[in-house]
Amino acid sequence: MSFLGPKGTFTHEVASKLSDNLISFCTIPAVLESVSTGECDKGIVPIENSIEGSVTQTLDLFAHKYNLKILNEVVLPINHNLIVNKGVKLEEITDIYSHSQALGQCQNFINQNNIQPHFAISTANAVKSIVGMENAAAIGNKKAAELYDMDILIDNIQDVSNNETRFVVVSNHDHVPTGNDKTSIAFSIFEDSPGALYKILGIFYEANINLAKIESRPSKKGLGNYIFFIDLVGHRLDENIKNILGRIEDNTSFFKVLGSYPIFQR
Amino acid sequence: MSFLGPKGTFTHEVASKLSDNLISFCTIPAVLESVSTGECDKGIVPIENSIEGSVTQTLDLFAHKYNLKILNEVVLPINHNLIVNKGVKLEEITDIYSHSQALGQCQNFINQNNIQPHFAISTANAVKSIVGMENAAAIGNKKAAELYDMDILIDNIQDVSNNETRFVVVSNHDHVPTGNDKTSIAFSIFEDSPGALYKILGIFYEANINLAKIESRPSKKGLGNYIFFIDLVGHRLDENIKNILGRIEDNTSFFKVLGSYPIFQR
């Protein structure tokens, strides 16, 4: 299984629970490419965080570039730690390094302590980059602190509780029905058709299908032009869902099933 | 007027067309704070790009923190330039610096030329940071290249056409009706109410009100919990819009009018 690395990222933490045979890639496109070419049979990438929102690169690649399927979803509670070189105290820290999402999730802490934030390509890279720096800290997970023999000065420095990230395992096929499934779809509505989204949502509503998620992303064709991502409860092979998806396809200018997979059990 | 600086950003380019009395702030929260406290009567920040999507920090601050109003919108076509120190050639460039959105919008160019991307806090900062560096380039606008006496090696290096950014001018009040207006609202639907969004969209559809935009952002209360941002055609003081907004408010758990303002004329 390929994962969004390097070692010590949150994705690594999830991936290591799923497989013993892990290959690290540095970017989300590289993970998806490794599955698309068959180099890896599965890959895992983040898709959504409860505070920062969608991982837009993942959604855009699913919609525009790859024909991969979602095989599974995994939800991980995110605890951000203030990681420093051994012996460094809070008042000595002038600069803090992390992935942009992690910095965004700890904005109050950063502002209150008047520390200059710096972007890193991942939380693990951030921890690696401050090895030996006395006035710097990184935001990352326990695994990264252990990996580079650093101290966790303060744990849970994120602004709000309910901080969770949803990851998806992608493959060239999706999951067989289990009786408790979700289906992810992406579609664009016809332009200049007032109420087009309203009518699509009506198809779900009248069929009594619950929507677990609705998000929009620019279609990249100009302002006001969107691709919608919907997660609905049910499997694409269920008879009623199959009919509904056919009707949605007939009423959209672009339509893609991203996969059916078991709902994650906490 | 306060703007998202420093000098040489795209926001600066727009702001300089609107006012001669400009004050630069380094972050979006700082711009909004300057208007909220009354230090500045107006401020300008980016809200949406046709390729990268919403500027999520701006939306989140409107929804969760500030009670500011949108007074105007401005749409700017975004042309990204490859900026280098005088005499530097394309084949010499190993590293490229820019804001994450600009790097995202030029991904194909960066990949094709096998250049290592680095995040900077703004496009203007990126240009400033490479002064004197022979193997580096920055992505930014003409104004920044002029400001630091650099060369534009290639213009329009963005992946796709239709690259536009929408900016909003915020104030403590919105705009009087002009007869060609838009209204921005934010709301959350009641949880565990199937079809809640469908019913809200139905209110607009039945009243024949056109929606120019619909976006969702996490409410920060947990996965699957959203705030929706809708731009509708009409002014909040128009009699029919006033009635509709009252009905929307009655059917939502959170509701906020972000302002009514003239539709931007290209």
Side-chain angles (χ1 to χ4, degrees), chain B residues 215-251:
Chain B
E215 288 262 358
S216 56
R217 287 283 305 148
S219 70
K220 312 205 175 200
K221 287 180 187 157
L223 287 174
N225 227 299
Y226 299 96
I227 292 183
F228 294 92
F229 293 85
I230 281 182
D231 289 353
L232 55 100
V233 177
H235 196 285
R236 66 178 173 82
L237 298 176
D238 298 347
E239 212 47 54
N240 64 329
I241 304 286
K242 206 192 279 182
N243 290 336
I244 292 298
L245 294 182
R247 284 180 60 199
I248 304 287
E249 184 163 14
D250 291 344
N251 285 283

Side-chain angles (χ1 to χ4, degrees), chain B residues 70-107:
Chain B
I70 300 174
L71 179 64
N72 263 300
E73 64 170 0
V74 184
V75 176
L76 182 77
I78 300 292
N79 293 320
H80 285 308
N81 304 294
L82 187 71
I83 297 174
V84 294
N85 288 279
K86 285 190 187 298
V88 170
K89 292 175 192 138
L90 180 59
E91 55 271 25
E92 297 172 317
I93 301 168
T94 55
D95 295 84
I96 191 161
Y97 295 76
S98 201
H99 187 268
S100 61
Q101 282 217 346
L103 291 169
Q105 289 163 10
C106 302
Q107 253 167 28

Side-chain angles (χ1 to χ4, degrees), chain A residues 173-218:
Chain A
H173 58 86
D174 60 357
H175 204 286
V176 294
T178 68
N180 189 26
D181 304 306
K182 226 190 238 182
T183 298
S184 294
I185 61 171
F187 63 85
S188 286
I189 52 181
F190 289 108
E191 281 178 70
D192 303 322
S193 167
L197 179 64
Y198 168 66
K199 290 169 193 167
I200 297 286
L201 295 183
I203 296 175
F204 293 114
Y205 180 68
E206 281 151 24
N208 231 340
I209 293 169
N210 282 322
L211 304 186
K213 170 182 168 165
I214 175 165
E215 287 262 358
S216 56
R217 287 282 305 148

Side-chain angles (χ1 to χ4, degrees), chain A residues 48 50-53 57 107 162 194-195 198-199 201-202 205 213-218 220-221 223 226, chain B residues 48 50-53 57 162 194-195 198-199 201-202 205-206 213-218 220-221 223 226:
Chain A
E48 187 182 11
S50 56
I51 297 174
E52 286 293 306
Q57 194 180 26
Q107 254 169 26
N162 296 315
Y198 168 66
K199 290 169 193 167
L201 295 183
Y205 180 68
K213 170 182 168 165
I214 175 165
E215 287 262 358
S216 56
R217 287 282 305 148
K220 313 205 175 199
K221 288 181 187 156
L223 287 173
Y226 298 97
Chain B
E48 187 183 9
S50 56
I51 298 174
E52 287 293 307
Q57 195 180 24
N162 296 316
Y198 168 65
K199 289 170 192 166
L201 295 184
Y205 180 68
E206 282 151 25
K213 170 181 168 165
I214 174 165
E215 288 262 358
S216 56
R217 287 283 305 148
K220 312 205 175 200
K221 287 180 187 157
L223 287 174
Y226 299 96

Side-chain angles (χ1 to χ4, degrees), chain B residues 22-245:
Chain B
L22 294 175
I23 303 174
S24 165
F25 286 90
C26 275
T27 64
I28 292 173
V31 172
L32 300 184
E33 185 73 23
S34 76
V35 182
S36 185
T37 58
E39 182 186 348
C40 298
D41 64 334
K42 295 175 196 169
I44 183 162
V45 290
I47 194 165
E48 187 183 9
N49 174 269
S50 56
I51 298 174
E52 287 293 307
S54 288
V55 181
T56 56
Q57 195 180 24
T58 301
L59 293 183
D60 288 353
L61 289 165
F62 278 151
H64 298 290
K65 188 157 182 193
Y66 293 104
N67 281 314
L68 295 169
K69 297 290 176 198
I70 300 174
L71 179 64
N72 263 300
E73 64 170 0
V74 184
V75 176
L76 182 77
I78 300 292
N79 293 320
H80 285 308
N81 304 294
L82 187 71
I83 297 174
V84 294
N85 288 279
K86 285 190 187 298
V88 170
K89 292 175 192 138
L90 180 59
E91 55 271 25
E92 297 172 317
I93 301 168
T94 55
D95 295 84
I96 191 161
Y97 295 76
S98 201
H99 187 268
S100 61
Q101 282 217 346
L103 291 169
Q105 289 163 10
C106 302
Q107 253 167 28
N108 290 346
F109 177 87
I110 294 169
N111 292 344
Q112 276 159 18
N113 290 285
N114 204 16
I115 311 175
Q116 175 68 39
H118 301 273
F119 292 120
I121 203 165
S122 71
T123 53
N125 256 316
V127 176
K128 190 178 171 186
S129 75
I130 64 152
V131 171
M133 289 167 70
E134 282 181 7
N135 299 111
I139 300 171
N141 62 9
K142 278 188 188 167
K143 210 153 185 140
E146 287 166 19
L147 207 61
Y148 297 104
D149 197 27
M150 313 279 274
D151 273 355
I152 291 178
L153 195 59
I154 309 174
D155 61 5
N156 287 328
I157 61 166
Q158 61 268 15
D159 298 345
V160 293
S161 51
N162 296 316
N163 189 353
E164 298 179 322
T165 295
R166 190 162 79 100
F167 297 85
V168 287
V169 178
V170 296
S171 182
N172 285 303
H173 58 87
D174 60 357
H175 204 285
V176 293
T178 68
N180 189 26
D181 303 306
K182 227 189 234 180
T183 298
S184 293
I185 62 171
F187 61 85
S188 286
I189 53 182
F190 288 109
E191 280 179 69
D192 302 322
S193 168
L197 179 63
Y198 168 65
K199 289 170 192 166
I200 297 286
L201 295 184
I203 296 175
F204 292 114
Y205 180 68
E206 282 151 25
N208 230 340
I209 293 169
N210 283 323
L211 304 186
K213 170 181 168 165
I214 174 165
E215 288 262 358
S216 56
R217 287 283 305 148
S219 70
K220 312 205 175 200
K221 287 180 187 157
L223 287 174
N225 227 299
Y226 299 96
I227 292 183
F228 294 92
F229 293 85
I230 281 182
D231 289 353
L232 55 100
V233 177
H235 196 285
R236 66 178 173 82
L237 298 176
D238 298 347
E239 212 47 54
N240 64 329
I241 304 286
K242 206 192 279 182
N243 290 336
I244 292 298
L245 294 182

